Amino acid sequence: MKDERIPSLLQPWVSLYRSTPKVHLPGTDVDVAFSLRCAAVFILLRLAFRHLLCALGWPAGDADTYFVSACLASFCHSSLIVPALGAVLWSQKYVPSGKLAPSKQWYKDATNALMGFCTGYMIYDTIAGYVVETWRPGVGPVLSGDDWTYVGHHILTTLYMVSARWKKAGHMSAMMLMFNGEFSAPIMNLHLILEKALEQECCKGLRWLPAAFAYNEQLFALVYVICRVAISPFVIAYVSYDLLLTKRGRRDVPLWLSISWMPMCWGVQLGSIPWIGTCINTLKQGPMLNGGANEEL
């Protein structure tokens, strides 16, 4: 690494990826060992956060304690991956259908590390959140309609990333969609954590908590609307155009694969519409303080 000019934000990712023994999916050179290690780390993080919350007075075995421990793990995932995605995307000319082969080795390793890291998170969250924590003895996992939506999102996102790594093309489209999708996630997770904290007896003495929730809610709503309304449709439209309508895109990524990616691209955008409506209403109302009464900034 000493002779390589690797962006500082990406050096830990490249080093970790290179130090991990490789186990490839059969018939491909797509490594899964890094993803499985990341999944194991997230499982341990979730358990550690759960014990920490209980030590702070949150009720053991309570659904809110489980939920917030999951939000804290998700906060770690998005906070780590967003800066790194920004660095890797900034380092190259952006071509959604671009091939990986011409790139320098450090860029290939960084790309595989970031997509492997995100894949690991999807594996962990599916197992921990939608199998283990919804398991009913004698029945199995019991999932709601929203649960199935998230599981479907995780499966499709994983297939997108794995197939891009398999074909060694289209990885930039996946990373740009990840970057835009995850950009608001740290603030969103903080919003969900603060919302649940307001309901906990052990947090009643924190006088700053309602104000922190109110202003973070406004920040989240603003960032989410910008990402999902002002940016995301144009990002997805450009990805679709490059993959489907350019000679380069049809040459570098098989057309059948590009077509299969489209529901993944646009499905997430359509699925965000209810959240967009909620965030717009939040911005119209302004910060809600003192038990729900509007207070001027």
Side-chain angles (χ1 to χ4, degrees):
M1 288 181 62
K2 292 181 179 179
D3 297 329
E4 297 176 291
R5 299 182 63 182
I6 306 174
S8 57
L9 278 174
L10 299 176
Q11 289 177 10
W13 294 94
V14 173
S15 179
L16 281 171
Y17 183 75
R18 290 178 178 177
S19 65
T20 302
K22 305 296 183 283
V23 177
H24 298 133
L25 285 175
T28 76
D29 61 355
V30 177
D31 171 60
V32 295
F34 188 78
S35 296
L36 294 176
R37 282 194 175 191
C38 292
V41 169
F42 278 117
I43 290 172
L44 293 175
L45 265 179
R46 189 171 181 141
L47 292 173
F49 283 133
R50 189 187 302 173
H51 287 293
L52 176 61
L53 289 170
C54 292
L56 293 174
W58 290 61
D62 186 74
D64 284 351
T65 304
Y66 282 24
F67 178 77
V68 170
S69 65
C71 289
L72 287 165
S74 179
F75 179 88
C76 292
H77 167 258
S78 54
S79 298
L80 288 170
I81 203 169
V82 167
L85 284 170
V88 80
L89 288 166
W90 184 262
S91 70
Q92 305 282 317
K93 179 182 178 181
Y94 177 59
V95 180
S97 60
K99 295 180 73 68
L100 189 58
S103 303
K104 295 180 180 180
Q105 188 59 46
W106 68 260
Y107 178 86
K108 296 176 185 178
D109 291 337
T111 296
N112 282 311
L114 292 173
M115 296 178 80
F117 179 74
C118 189
T119 299
Y121 176 82
M122 298 299 169
I123 293 170
Y124 133 79
D125 198 41
T126 300
I127 294 172
Y130 303 106
V131 177
V132 174
E133 291 185 2
T134 64
W135 190 271
R136 298 291 181 272
V139 179
V142 178
L143 303 181
S144 66
D146 286 343
D147 289 340
W148 281 112
T149 298
Y150 282 108
V151 170
H153 166 269
H154 288 4
I155 292 172
L156 292 177
T157 301
T158 298
L159 289 174
Y160 195 144
M161 292 185 290
V162 170
S163 58
R165 294 173 67 190
W166 168 49
K167 286 298 183 181
K168 296 183 176 61
H171 55 283
M172 287 191 191
S173 68
M175 290 193 293
M176 180 58 80
L177 294 171
M178 290 159 59
F179 179 73
N180 189 63
E182 292 290 336
F183 193 87
S184 60
I187 312 171
M188 179 181 186
N189 280 294
L190 186 56
H191 164 71
L192 296 172
I193 293 166
L194 293 173
E195 184 177 46
K196 293 297 183 182
L198 286 170
E199 302 171 3
Q200 301 302 314
E201 286 297 326
C202 61
C203 298
K204 295 297 184 184
L206 302 176
R207 295 185 178 182
W208 52 266
L209 192 58
F213 170 76
Y215 289 112
N216 182 78
E217 183 180 45
Q218 290 292 302
L219 178 60
F220 162 62
L222 177 62
V223 173
Y224 193 85
V225 168
I226 291 172
C227 289
R228 299 290 181 167
V229 177
I231 299 175
S232 185
F234 300 100
V235 169
I236 300 172
Y238 183 63
V239 166
S240 304
Y241 164 77
D242 186 72
L243 289 171
L244 301 175
L245 301 179
T246 67
K247 291 182 179 179
R248 175 188 59 210
R250 294 193 299 273
R251 179 196 67 205
D252 293 342
V253 181
L255 185 59
W256 65 266
L257 185 57
S258 295
I259 292 173
S260 73
W261 287 349
M262 291 302 106
M264 308 179 204
C265 295
W266 291 102
V268 172
Q269 180 65 21
L270 294 174
S272 68
I273 290 175
W275 272 99
I276 292 171
T278 299
C279 288
I280 289 173
N281 288 333
T282 298
L283 292 171
K284 287 180 179 178
Q285 293 170 357
M288 303 293 286
L289 302 171
N290 297 329
N294 278 78
E295 180 170 304
E296 293 184 359
L297 292 171

